[in-house]
Amino acid sequence: MNIEAAIAARNEFRIGEVAIRFEGPLGIISGPRMGSTGPARVASDDLRELVRTDDHGRYRPLPGARTMPGGWEVRCHSADELLDAIDAIYPLALRHIGQHERGELRVIPLDEVLRRQSGRYAVAASLGVEGRKAACNTLCGRCVRTPVWCEAALPPGGIPCPEPCSVLVSLCREAALWDTSPPAPSAPVAGLPFARFDIPGNEVRETYLADRAGAPLAGSPSLNATALPGDDALVG
Ligand code: SF4
């Protein structure tokens, strides 16, 4: 999908968890989970702040996480305002989509990212291939982006992710420590900080641990099986 072309033609489209439609001179972005009472009107200048937290007020360290607050819409008065609003919601997504379409997206594999870590994150590089696969499956499965860095195929309308993000590196660090000293599983606790993988009950942590134990948690999102990375995509 070429988003600039869709906007120029005033064709509705979706990107990640939001929908874009056109009414008269306006381009309107709608968040997820529209209630029956109608959406809250948000100014485009306030959008970046709005999407910093989820419906429970938790900070969203991963802009692509499927935890977008719901029930809002933004009315944009020009194509530039609309493009800026999308960039506030999903930083760099438009640039990466364009680069992917032109075959210019620079992709960096997980092993390269883990090997360049230092200090407290250096241990992340010791995570084995099965742990890397489980970390990718657990975290990227909760993200609207498609990790093309692990050779996942970009679906139509998808947002390519060219490089493992810092949240994934953080999960790999914890997972490497768990490999040497496996923690006891806990029941997931709703409302814990998204990226505090060191806290028992963190949903991502418990999903990862269950996956590694061969007992996936029911209802947990994960990457499409065909998108799971092959071993070559995860090790140097
Ligand atoms: S590495 Fe995975 S979780 Fe992080 S931004 Fe990319 S697709 Fe999303």
Side-chain angles (χ1 to χ4, degrees), residues 62-65 110 135-136 138-149 159-169 194 223:
L62 185 64
L110 180 61
C136 173
T138 302
L139 191 66
C140 302
R142 287 170 163 73
C143 181
V144 299
R145 286 178 169 260
T146 299
V148 295
W149 54 261
I159 308 171
C161 170
E163 176 176 354
C165 66
S166 61
V167 181
L168 183 61
V169 171
F194 182 88
L223 280 179

Side-chain angles (χ1 to χ4, degrees), residues 55-209:
D55 277 337
H56 307 290
R58 290 187 306 172
Y59 172 59
R60 299 175 67 242
L62 185 64
R66 296 182 187 279
T67 56
M68 179 80 63
W72 54 267
E73 73 175 27
V74 170
R75 301 188 153 224
C76 300
H77 296 81
S78 69
D80 284 346
E81 187 181 1
L82 184 53
L83 291 168
D84 285 349
I86 294 171
D87 196 57
I89 298 168
Y90 295 125
L92 298 179
L94 296 173
R95 181 188 299 182
H96 291 155
I97 290 170
Q99 290 173 337
H100 188 268
E101 284 171 353
R102 296 190 298 274
E104 296 171 356
L105 187 66
R106 182 162 178 264
V107 172
I108 302 177
L110 180 61
D111 192 59
E112 185 177 331
V113 171
L114 294 185
R115 275 191 286 112
R116 73 185 181 207
Q117 301 301 311
S118 59
R120 70 188 299 271
Y121 290 96
V123 69
S126 67
L127 185 64
V129 65
E130 291 305 320
R132 295 179 183 200
K133 203 179 283 191
C136 173
N137 188 32
T138 302
L139 191 66
C140 302
R142 287 170 163 73
C143 181
V144 299
R145 286 178 169 260
T146 299
V148 295
W149 54 261
C150 73
E151 300 175 2
L154 185 66
I159 308 171
C161 170
E163 176 176 354
C165 66
S166 61
V167 181
L168 183 61
V169 171
S170 177
L171 178 58
C172 288
R173 175 193 185 269
E174 296 301 319
L177 299 175
W178 297 332
D179 265 3
T180 55
S181 181
S186 297
V189 178
L192 289 179
F194 182 88
R196 285 296 305 271
F197 308 131
D198 57 320
I199 301 178
N202 172 280
E203 186 195 341
V204 175
R205 167 195 174 108
E206 300 307 332
T207 302
Y208 173 91
L209 292 173

